[in-house]
Short mmCIF file of all heavy atoms in Angstrom, two decimals:
data_model
loop_
_atom_site.label_atom_id
_atom_site.label_comp_id
_atom_site.label_asym_id
_atom_site.label_seq_id
_atom_site.Cartn_x
_atom_site.Cartn_y
_atom_site.Cartn_z
N CYS I 971 129.90 13.33 114.87
CA CYS I 971 128.53 13.83 115.05
C CYS I 971 128.55 15.37 115.30
O CYS I 971 129.24 15.82 116.20
CB CYS I 971 127.87 13.13 116.22
SG CYS I 971 126.22 13.76 116.55
N PRO I 972 127.80 16.15 114.54
CA PRO I 972 127.83 17.58 114.71
C PRO I 972 127.22 18.03 116.06
O PRO I 972 127.45 19.17 116.49
CB PRO I 972 127.02 18.14 113.53
CG PRO I 972 126.20 16.98 113.00
CD PRO I 972 126.95 15.76 113.37
N CYS I 973 126.41 17.18 116.67
CA CYS I 973 125.71 17.57 117.90
C CYS I 973 126.41 17.01 119.15
O CYS I 973 125.85 17.02 120.22
CB CYS I 973 124.25 17.11 117.84
SG CYS I 973 123.36 17.90 116.51
N ARG I 974 127.62 16.54 118.96
CA ARG I 974 128.41 16.04 120.10
C ARG I 974 129.78 16.64 120.08
O ARG I 974 130.34 16.90 119.00
CB ARG I 974 128.54 14.52 120.05
CG ARG I 974 127.24 13.80 120.32
CD ARG I 974 127.48 12.32 120.11
NE ARG I 974 126.44 11.51 120.66
CZ ARG I 974 125.74 10.61 119.92
NH1 ARG I 974 125.95 10.49 118.64
NH2 ARG I 974 124.85 9.87 120.51
N GLN I 975 130.39 16.83 121.27
CA GLN I 975 131.75 17.35 121.33
C GLN I 975 132.71 16.20 121.11
O GLN I 975 132.75 15.24 121.83
CB GLN I 975 131.98 18.00 122.71
CG GLN I 975 133.40 18.48 122.92
CD GLN I 975 133.76 19.61 121.98
OE1 GLN I 975 133.05 20.58 121.82
NE2 GLN I 975 134.92 19.50 121.35
N ALA I 976 133.55 16.35 120.06
CA ALA I 976 134.60 15.34 119.81
C ALA I 976 135.84 15.77 120.57
O ALA I 976 135.98 16.96 120.95
CB ALA I 976 134.89 15.27 118.33
N SER I 977 136.75 14.83 120.82
CA SER I 977 137.99 15.16 121.52
C SER I 977 139.10 15.50 120.55
O SER I 977 140.09 16.13 120.92
CB SER I 977 138.42 13.98 122.38
OG SER I 977 138.81 12.89 121.54
N GLY I 978 138.95 15.07 119.27
CA GLY I 978 140.03 15.26 118.31
C GLY I 978 140.99 14.08 118.29
O GLY I 978 141.88 14.01 117.49
N LEU I 979 140.78 13.11 119.24
CA LEU I 979 141.58 11.88 119.26
C LEU I 979 140.68 10.77 118.69
O LEU I 979 139.70 10.40 119.29
CB LEU I 979 142.02 11.52 120.68
CG LEU I 979 142.83 12.58 121.44
CD1 LEU I 979 143.10 12.12 122.85
CD2 LEU I 979 144.09 12.90 120.72
N LYS I 980 141.08 10.27 117.52
CA LYS I 980 140.22 9.36 116.77
C LYS I 980 139.83 8.08 117.55
O LYS I 980 138.70 7.60 117.44
CB LYS I 980 140.87 9.01 115.41
CG LYS I 980 139.84 8.43 114.44
CD LYS I 980 140.45 8.27 113.08
CE LYS I 980 139.45 7.69 112.11
NZ LYS I 980 140.05 7.34 110.82
N THR I 981 140.81 7.60 118.33
CA THR I 981 140.54 6.39 119.11
C THR I 981 139.36 6.57 120.05
O THR I 981 138.56 5.67 120.23
CB THR I 981 141.78 6.05 119.98
OG1 THR I 981 142.89 6.03 119.12
CG2 THR I 981 141.63 4.74 120.67
N TYR I 982 139.26 7.74 120.63
CA TYR I 982 138.18 8.00 121.58
C TYR I 982 136.88 8.49 120.89
O TYR I 982 135.80 8.36 121.44
CB TYR I 982 138.63 9.09 122.58
CG TYR I 982 139.77 8.62 123.45
CD1 TYR I 982 141.08 8.89 123.11
CD2 TYR I 982 139.51 7.92 124.64
CE1 TYR I 982 142.14 8.47 123.90
CE2 TYR I 982 140.54 7.47 125.43
CZ TYR I 982 141.88 7.76 125.05
OH TYR I 982 142.90 7.35 125.85
N ASP I 983 137.04 9.06 119.69
CA ASP I 983 135.87 9.59 118.98
C ASP I 983 135.24 8.56 118.06
O ASP I 983 134.21 8.83 117.43
CB ASP I 983 136.24 10.84 118.17
CG ASP I 983 136.68 12.01 119.06
OD1 ASP I 983 136.30 12.01 120.22
OD2 ASP I 983 137.36 12.90 118.52
N ALA I 984 135.87 7.35 117.92
CA ALA I 984 135.42 6.39 116.92
C ALA I 984 133.94 6.07 117.02
O ALA I 984 133.26 5.93 116.00
CB ALA I 984 136.22 5.10 117.06
N ASP I 985 133.41 6.03 118.24
CA ASP I 985 131.96 5.70 118.39
C ASP I 985 131.03 6.80 117.91
O ASP I 985 129.84 6.55 117.73
CB ASP I 985 131.68 5.31 119.83
CG ASP I 985 131.95 6.50 120.79
OD1 ASP I 985 132.95 7.20 120.60
OD2 ASP I 985 131.16 6.69 121.74
N ILE I 986 131.52 8.06 117.76
CA ILE I 986 130.62 9.12 117.29
C ILE I 986 130.93 9.60 115.88
O ILE I 986 130.46 10.62 115.44
CB ILE I 986 130.62 10.34 118.26
CG1 ILE I 986 132.03 10.86 118.55
CG2 ILE I 986 129.88 9.99 119.54
CD1 ILE I 986 132.02 12.22 119.21
#
Side-chain angles (χ1 to χ4, degrees):
Chain I
C971 178
C973 298
R974 289 175 165 122
Q975 176 65 48
S977 68
L979 303 177
K980 197 173 180 186
T981 307
Y982 295 93
D983 294 339
D985 61 321
I986 53 166

